[in-house]
Every structure is written in structure tokens, then in C-alpha cells.
Amino acid sequence: MALHFTSERRLDDGVLEREFTLGEIPGILWTPASAPVPLILLGHPPLGLHKMYPRLVARARRAAADGFAAATIELPGSGDRPRWAAAEQARADLRRAMEAGEPVSDEIIDALVLPLVDKAVPEWQAALDALLLLPEIGGPVGYSGGVISIGVRLAVVEPLIVAAGLFAGSFVPRAMFEEARQVTIPLHVLLQWDDEGNHRQASLDLFDAFGSKEKSLHANMGGHAGVPQFAGDAAAQFFTRHLK
């Protein structure tokens, strides 16, 4: 798939922001003035790039200040991409269970996450291949944030990714624990202790399962959206250590 830029603008801190399409997949690339630079792939939840934009651009500007390019793509079934009936049904089942105060079943978690991982990961890999053809992008590559199961799969199957910062803020299917044991790259895992949409013990068990020799867990008090500023600083230092 060829990457086509559809718009560009220079942000006030000198970062170049360009929207692109990769086949039917929309994405955004942010690059600092210096080039070529390492690349950080910015993962995000399936809420749509438009809704996630303020948080994504803040993360991209921090990456640029540290000397990295950053890029993201729209997830399958999100934003302006075609609706995906199975995913919508899984989200509806999840909402119903949570509103009823019922435990979220393995069946719901599997239906919600596994098809998304299967569709999204090859798209991330295609985007990475296309981005690395650009003269302003060098190596190495990191992956940051997003649905943690997507990050786990990418860490296993994509050899170009040399370090990952993962956010333990999403449901994890049991099958992903086996994949986690195959992860060997350095990991920086962020956990919000009181995350309302997350099973804390499952997050701790997943961290335990990771096969990486270098892995660190950063747990902070507070809910899903209460990540403290210094947690972002620690993640930035992690990528500087491994991508520079």
C-alpha cells in the first residue's frame, strides 16, 4: 500500500503535522525539524482519531521535543472508517454488562479485543513499512500506548519495534497472556491503580507474564484519565534510553 499525504501544517513549536492515507486507512505523522529521526508509533483506544487528537498531538509534540517522529493510524471500525458490526455488538455487550454491574465475561472480552488485534496489527505493520521509506524517518522504532493487546501482538511479530511503552488500561483476553510470554523487547508499563475500566489483577498478571529481561511497572493512584504528568516524563525517558 502506498502512503499519500493529504494535508500539512507547521505547528507553533516547529513540528510538521501531515495527515496521510494508506489505502483506506487515515493517519497522521508528526516530525521535528531535525531529520532523519527515530519513530514512535502512537497507539490509542478505538474512539476515533478526531476524538483522540488533543491527546495524540500532545504526545507527538513531546516526542518531537525529544527528537523523535511520531505517527498514528485510525483503528478498524473507528472514526470515519466503515462500521464494523461485530465490534459494535461486542461494545454493546460490554456496556450492558458494566451497566448491570455484572462481571465482564471472557466471551465478551475475546469478542471485543481479539478481532481488533487481528485486523489492526497488520495495518500498523503496513504503516510502519511505508513510513520507514520516508527520508525523514530513520530507525529504531518504538510503540507507545493504545489497546495493550495490540501492543503485545506488535511486540511479538514486528522485529522493527525495539521498545514499547504500554498502558494497562484495557481488557486483556486470556489468549494474550501466552503471547506476552513471547515478548522480549524492553517494556515500560503504566498502570492506573484505580482504573475503572480495568481489572488490576489481570494487569499485574500480564506484567508478570512478559518475557522481557528489562520490564518496569509504573503504578500510580487514580482512575483511567488521571495519569500524572511525571508518568509521561518517565515514559519519555524510557524511549530516549532505547531509541537514541
Side-chain angles (χ1 to χ4, degrees), residues 115-151:
L116 179 64
V117 173
D118 290 344
K119 276 184 180 247
V121 166
E123 294 184 351
W124 274 112
Q125 291 181 286
L128 178 55
D129 290 344
L131 289 162
L132 286 172
L133 294 174
L134 300 172
E136 58 270 39
I137 307 293
V141 180
Y143 176 84
S144 170
V147 176
I148 196 167
S149 295
I150 292 177

Side-chain angles (χ1 to χ4, degrees), residues 4 19 47 62 75 179 192:
H4 298 286
E19 295 185 2
L47 299 174
R62 174 60 195 259
L75 290 172
E179 294 192 35
Q192 286 300 102

Side-chain angles (χ1 to χ4, degrees), residues 41 75 84 109-110 112-125 128 143 145-166 170-185 187 206 210 212:
L41 300 175
L75 290 172
W84 182 13
I109 294 173
D110 287 358
L112 189 72
V113 179
L114 292 177
L116 179 64
V117 173
D118 290 344
K119 276 184 180 247
V121 166
E123 294 184 351
W124 274 112
Q125 291 181 286
L128 178 55
Y143 176 84
V147 176
I148 196 167
S149 295
I150 292 177
V152 171
R153 174 74 59 82
L154 274 169
V156 173
V157 303
E158 182 45 75
L160 294 170
I161 295 174
V162 301
L166 303 176
S170 51
F171 292 103
V172 182
R174 289 185 189 275
M176 296 309 300
F177 286 79
E178 199 48 55
E179 294 192 35
R181 293 183 181 92
Q182 301 169 47
V183 175
T184 57
I185 62 173
L187 296 178
L206 183 68
F210 285 127
S212 304

Side-chain angles (χ1 to χ4, degrees), residues 26-42:
I28 311 173
L29 172 65
W30 294 270
T31 45
S34 57
V37 290
L39 174 66
I40 298 176
L41 300 175
L42 300 183

Side-chain angles (χ1 to χ4, degrees), residues 20-22 27 57 111 183 196 208 237:
F20 64 82
T21 56
L22 184 73
V57 73
V183 175
E196 52 284 353
D208 195 34
Q237 288 158 8

Side-chain angles (χ1 to χ4, degrees), residues 87-101:
E88 310 241 318
Q89 183 60 53
R91 285 178 204 160
D93 292 342
L94 173 66
R95 272 195 306 273
R96 198 158 47 241
M98 293 184 81
E99 285 165 6

